[in-house]
Amino acid sequence: MIFGTCGQRAPSVGESAPAERRKYIEEHFRCISDCDMCGICAVYHNQDPLLVYRDYIEGTRTFEEITEEYRR
């Protein structure tokens, strides 16, 4: 089980709408404009999390699959 930055579990692809999944990514991976304190840019190789998780938002891959890919 993988959680976002606030400890809340990502909505399941099978049990949520694209709008819910997009909202989750927007809320949990938003830029705080302090790169030294955040690290999101480093984890996602300077890519916008909305682009990184596009397949999750569209429902073609799970949040966990994409997250594991970036943990390597």
Side-chain angles (χ1 to χ4, degrees), residues 37-66:
M37 294 296 294
C38 177
I40 289 175
C41 290
V43 170
Y44 296 111
H45 310 289
N46 293 320
Q47 293 183 62
D48 183 333
L50 287 172
L51 294 176
V52 170
Y53 286 100
R54 179 179 48 209
D55 288 346
Y56 165 66
I57 293 167
E58 293 173 353
T60 60
R61 293 176 65 198
T62 67
F63 178 84
E64 292 81 6
E65 289 172 328
I66 297 168

Side-chain angles (χ1 to χ4, degrees), residues 1-16 20-30 40 43-44 49-72:
M1 183 178 312
I2 298 176
F3 296 89
T5 56
C6 295
Q8 181 182 359
R9 186 170 184 194
S12 146
V13 170
E15 298 175 3
S16 63
E20 293 173 87
R21 296 187 295 269
R22 181 182 182 88
K23 182 179 177 185
Y24 178 84
I25 298 300
E26 288 174 339
E27 290 178 354
H28 291 87
F29 300 99
R30 66 180 170 263
I40 289 175
V43 170
Y44 296 111
L50 287 172
L51 294 176
V52 170
Y53 286 100
R54 179 179 48 209
D55 288 346
Y56 165 66
I57 293 167
E58 293 173 353
T60 60
R61 293 176 65 198
T62 67
F63 178 84
E64 292 81 6
E65 289 172 328
I66 297 168
T67 301
E68 285 299 321
E69 187 177 299
Y70 279 87
R71 285 187 173 174
R72 295 181 200 154

